Amino acid sequence: MKEIKYIFIVILLVGLAGCGGRNNETGQEQSTTSIIQKEDGSIILELEKAFLWQDSLNPYMNTAEWSLNITNRGRYELWITSFTKDTMDLKYDSPVTVTFGDKRIRKTPVGNEIVLDSPAVESDYYRADSKIGSVYIDRPGHYNIQVVSSKVLASDLNVNGKGRHTLMKSLIIKPMTE
């Protein structure tokens, strides 16, 4: 009986060790630079500064995650920044899911605001900002934020996604004015 118990423990440990080596998923941490809230209260969460999770079998599950401190309480709008070739159709295949604390928002970006002459945009693209929703921060403090979308692509970060119709670039958190 003792031998069966030890064999079970060995099989369990080997099985757990093997789970970390799946080929279809990769986690990639881009930068450990701290994210700072600007004087106007806004925060720009760039994909380059996110922890990225890519799933080649289920790209709609690709995830960008940030960890940050919010210093002021209040209501904040969440905006997705995209670089696109056509501002009338951003071609998001499925809704983007934003998880902020205990709130989850799902929405398909539509390009509510077109930002002309944005310095980071290459000549083939236009910048389109899409309002996803809003969250209320009751207490200043530490928060984790996730964006889940097939447009979260690590390959777009280094080569600027040449040839892609739309590139997701950042999540912007803006305090709402009264």
Side-chain angles (χ1 to χ4, degrees):
M1 189 66 167
K2 217 177 188 183
E3 292 173 347
I4 293 174
K5 186 177 183 181
Y6 287 121
I7 291 172
F8 176 75
I9 291 172
V10 169
I11 290 172
L12 179 65
L13 291 175
V14 169
L16 289 174
C19 288
R22 294 174 59 188
N23 291 333
N24 67 327
E25 299 173 333
T26 57
Q28 182 177 12
E29 190 168 353
Q30 296 295 330
S31 174
T32 57
T33 307
S34 61
I35 299 166
I36 300 170
Q37 194 168 2
K38 295 182 179 186
E39 286 182 25
D40 67 357
S42 65
I43 301 170
I44 299 174
L45 302 172
E46 299 171 359
L47 257 59
E48 289 89 3
K49 294 180 181 176
F51 176 80
L52 299 176
W53 180 261
Q54 305 277 257
D55 187 336
S56 59
L57 296 178
N58 301 303
Y60 58 90
M61 297 298 295
N62 290 351
T63 304
E65 185 170 347
W66 299 268
S67 180
L68 65 131
N69 285 315
I70 304 284
T71 57
N72 300 318
R73 59 181 282 181
R75 182 154 297 277
Y76 291 82
E77 294 179 331
L78 305 175
W79 291 76
I80 294 286
T81 297
S82 304
F83 291 178
T84 184
K85 292 184 177 188
D86 180 4
T87 58
M88 297 298 287
D89 183 9
L90 300 183
K91 295 200 184 287
Y92 276 80
D93 301 331
S94 58
V96 172
T97 302
V98 177
T99 305
F100 191 112
D102 61 352
K103 185 161 186 174
R104 175 173 281 159
I105 302 169
R106 276 181 60 86
K107 189 167 183 183
T108 302
V110 295
N112 301 90
E113 291 182 4
I114 308 307
V115 180
L116 301 175
D117 300 325
S118 180
V121 181
E122 294 205 12
S123 62
D124 295 359
Y125 292 94
Y126 301 94
R127 178 176 157 187
D129 290 354
S130 304
K131 184 177 178 183
I132 300 299
S134 68
V135 293
Y136 181 74
I137 305 295
D138 188 30
R139 286 182 248 191
H142 180 79
Y143 291 89
N144 289 325
I145 300 169
Q146 286 186 334
V147 174
V148 180
S149 172
S150 61
K151 297 290 184 190
V152 173
L153 296 170
S155 62
D156 288 348
L157 301 178
N158 298 326
V159 297
N160 289 329
K162 289 286 188 191
R164 294 198 193 275
H165 184 277
T166 300
L167 312 169
M168 182 186 294
K169 289 304 207 179
S170 63
L171 174 69
I172 300 173
I173 303 170
K174 299 179 185 179
M176 293 182 72
T177 57
E178 297 186 46

